[in-house]
Amino acid sequence: MANEKVDVVIVGAGASGSVYASVLAKAGKKVVLLEAGPDWQMSDLISSEMWGRRIRPAGAPFLLEGKNPFGYAGQAGWGVGGAALHYFANHPRFLPNDYKIKSEHNRALDWPISYQDVAPFYDKVAHDIGMSGDAKAEEKWRPAGQSYPMPPMKTFRHGEIWVKGFESLGIRMVPAPVAMNSTEFKGRPACIYDGWCHVGCPTGALANPTVTYLSEARKAKAEVRALCSVTRVLTNAQGTKVAGVEYYDEKKVRQVQEAHVVVLAAWSGQNSRLLLNSATDKHSKGLNNSNGLVGKYMMTHSIAGINAIFDEDIQNHLGTIGAQYMSYDRYGKTSYKDAFGSTYITCGAAQKTHDFASTRPDLFGPDLHDYMKRAARGFTRISMFGEGLPNIENRIELASDKDEFGMPLGRLTHSFDQDAVALWNANLEEGQKAAKAAGAKEVWVGRAAIPTTHLHGGTIMGTDAANSVVNSFGQCHELPNLYVAGPSIFPTEGASNPTYTILAVSLRGAEQLAAKWATVAG
Ligand SMILES: Cc1cc2nc3c(=O)[nH]c(=O)nc-3n(C[C@H](O)[C@H](O)[C@H](O)COP(=O)(O)OP(=O)(O)OC[C@H]3O[C@@H](n4cnc5c(N)ncnc54)[C@H](O)[C@@H]3O)c2cc1C
Ligand code: SF4
């Protein structure tokens, strides 16, 4: 069944798709967002671990392979708002060295743009969605920019207690930038510090897409069609332009949505899977894949988590799930002698009972009971995010197994290289030193497997069709009216949590598309 042709169809109503929808709908374009999951409302966000599982990923799984398989469960989103509906809202930006790693170290890949190209969009996003932090304090590591619209969030003892420990190692901690309200912002309330952000903030104090860009897009008449799973991007007969998408609606009936422009914003894993599944006789390896780079260079961060118990009531239940303090003092690519890559250091996330229970799976009976008593008042944890470099062997391919719509499942193969493993180990050592210097009575780490988080790559940007899938705006080299948005277009991943950069780069791409509409869509 064919729907009336629209200006733009956006696949995925998450972080990146919402930005495109807002910019294009406000520019007067007829916009349809097709979203595989439900149309979550704020009233669906209930502060309960059990209930929160309902908004976590569902739908077709990925087959996970490699030495360090990506931790897919809990890492993706499903439904309007995407993963950013229940993300932790840590919003550090990438630093200038992330954009030029090849030029500066002859390793990995350069971005085709510099920090200065993205900087104005970082500032604009902060003021669009609401961010709290101390820009001046961050400027010891990065060029000056605008202040955040809100002052830093309140701090609590379980975050403050780390600061001296890090300082003794020469690591300066400053207020963490977060997409949360320290004060009322654009009619949304200030945070109440109850720490339930990870199952979706029900008050609107956390800037999830449904209360920011998507809300603006809806006001500008963008249409969101929930429970609609896109399976293919369609092209014209000559294979020179995209013509729309094929999808299955909420009744599982096949539909076609024609459009002048298609934006894939379905997250790193799905964007590659969709392009590969859209092969035609003119595009036998998948759309925009003559160079074979679709699905390649998948990257993920490692997390070095250091657990500690202090012998006092540090009020670990208070605060948000985002960080209280952060540091870029180990962000230089050669910060550690025997490792390579950046590290982003955070501390001060609020804890729930299951957080500290799950860090000691070895304990039972009275030992567990004693531990829980100590941990309930004294447990805290830091997270040090480590960079993984782009490696062409880390990839997404189509598997022979199929989902309910007959679309092949994606197989995601991921292994960390020696540098990333060394970086994770160096961070575990550094973090334990900080914990001891902070006066922790018990300090331990888990080494069973390297935790992975934040998936990037698969449709990377570059200077031309020989080295990349899209240009710096997300526009495909081979099919100019097809755009890709989100972390899948990042050629390197730095160590910063990605969403601030996702929003900034999406805003840059969407504004370019709106400005060049006649050339792109005509
Ligand atoms: C628990 C958790 C905590 C996180 N914390 C942070 C943090 O503190 N800071 C940070 O920067 N990042 C964080 N992230 C990561 C962040 O949420 C993602 O990087 C970001 O949401 C990715 O944006 P996106 O637009 O690419 O994808 P998403 O926001 O996930 O949106 C993609 C959307 O596409 C839809 N979709 C997929 N396939 C199809 C299809 N075939 N048809 C139609 N729709 C489809 C999905 O249902 C989804 O809604 C966190 C993620 C998780 C899971
Ligand atoms: S701690 Fe703040 S941001 Fe998190 S869920 Fe509560 S009110 Fe929302």
Side-chain angles (χ1 to χ4, degrees), residues 47 153 179-181 190-198 200-206 319-321:
S47 298
M153 304 288 282
M180 296 172 183
N181 292 355
C191 174
I192 56 171
Y193 299 101
D194 63 340
W196 279 104
C197 336
H198 58 299
C201 172
T203 72
L206 185 149
T320 78
I321 197 78

Side-chain angles (χ1 to χ4, degrees), residues 229-268:
S229 296
V230 174
T231 45
R232 284 170 66 83
V233 180
L234 306 171
T235 60
N236 62 6
Q238 304 79 15
T240 52
K241 295 183 84 175
V242 295
V245 298
E246 170 194 84
Y247 71 98
Y248 287 80
D249 69 12
E250 57 179 304
K251 298 197 176 101
K252 308 205 168 152
V253 174
R254 182 182 178 276
Q255 302 255 11
V256 167
Q257 178 60 61
E258 292 182 11
H260 293 287
V261 172
V262 174
V263 179
L264 288 185
W267 182 65
S268 293

Side-chain angles (χ1 to χ4, degrees), residues 155-423:
T155 58
F156 299 89
R157 180 77 179 136
H158 64 100
E160 295 155 3
I161 207 163
W162 289 99
V163 173
K164 274 207 174 130
F166 276 114
E167 273 172 3
S168 72
L169 304 176
I171 296 175
R172 299 159 293 175
M173 302 299 281
V174 307
V178 291
M180 296 172 183
N181 292 355
S182 58
T183 59
E184 195 184 310
F185 183 80
K186 292 190 180 173
R188 291 167 27 222
C191 174
I192 56 171
Y193 299 101
D194 63 340
W196 279 104
C197 336
H198 58 299
V199 286
C201 172
T203 72
L206 185 149
N208 83 49
T210 70
V211 296
T212 60
Y213 287 113
L214 195 60
S215 153
E216 287 177 19
R218 282 179 140 144
K219 277 186 211 141
K221 306 263 186 296
E223 181 193 349
V224 180
R225 270 180 230 157
L227 298 171
C228 290
S229 296
V230 174
T231 45
R232 284 170 66 83
V233 180
L234 306 171
T235 60
N236 62 6
Q238 304 79 15
T240 52
K241 295 183 84 175
V242 295
V245 298
E246 170 194 84
Y247 71 98
Y248 287 80
D249 69 12
E250 57 179 304
K251 298 197 176 101
K252 308 205 168 152
V253 174
R254 182 182 178 276
Q255 302 255 11
V256 167
Q257 178 60 61
E258 292 182 11
H260 293 287
V261 172
V262 174
V263 179
L264 288 185
W267 182 65
S268 293
Q270 300 289 0
N271 286 343
S272 296
R273 180 178 172 228
L274 278 164
L275 287 175
L276 293 172
N277 194 47
S278 302
T280 65
D281 55 342
K282 305 273 186 322
H283 299 271
S284 58
K285 294 196 280 180
L287 283 194
N288 205 61
N289 194 26
S290 302
N291 59 15
L293 289 181
V294 170
K296 302 288 168 48
Y297 296 115
M298 302 308 300
M299 294 162 276
T300 175
H301 293 142
S302 63
I303 311 177
I306 290 90
N307 307 302
I309 294 183
F310 288 82
D311 199 12
E312 62 174 290
D313 183 353
I314 55 174
Q315 297 197 304
N316 57 12
H317 59 295
L318 295 177
T320 78
I321 197 78
Q324 294 181 41
Y325 294 94
M326 68 87 166
S327 181
Y328 285 116
D329 267 330
R330 294 291 177 269
Y331 209 84
K333 306 291 175 194
T334 53
S335 293
Y336 296 110
K337 196 163 122 307
D338 298 318
F340 186 87
S342 295
T343 297
Y344 181 66
I345 303 172
T346 64
C347 71
Q351 304 295 319
K352 296 276 177 260
T353 311
H354 80 276
D355 291 322
F356 41 87
S358 62
T359 59
R360 290 302 305 266
D362 54 319
L363 297 179
F364 296 90
D367 291 343
L368 177 60
H369 196 247
D370 284 352
Y371 164 74
M372 292 300 281
K373 269 170 114 175
R374 299 194 304 280
R377 296 274 178 265
F379 178 89
T380 174
R381 182 169 208 270
I382 55 173
S383 294
M384 300 170 74
F385 296 91
E387 176 171 16
L389 297 188
N391 171 353
I392 201 159
E393 292 303 320
N394 288 333
R395 62 194 185 274
I396 285 188
E397 297 158 302
L398 296 182
S400 49
D401 298 325
K402 303 218 161 107
D403 69 11
E404 61 179 318
F405 306 114
M407 182 175 175
L409 297 185
R411 180 187 298 110
L412 170 51
T413 304
H414 180 266
S415 305
F416 282 121
D417 65 16
Q418 251 185 331
D419 280 313
V421 175
L423 186 62

Side-chain angles (χ1 to χ4, degrees), residues 12 14-16 35-36 74 79 82-84 87-90 228 230 266-267 270 487 497-499:
S16 56
E35 167 52 54
Y87 80 146
F88 300 171
N90 287 309
C228 290
V230 174
W267 182 65
Q270 300 289 0
N497 313 58
T499 306

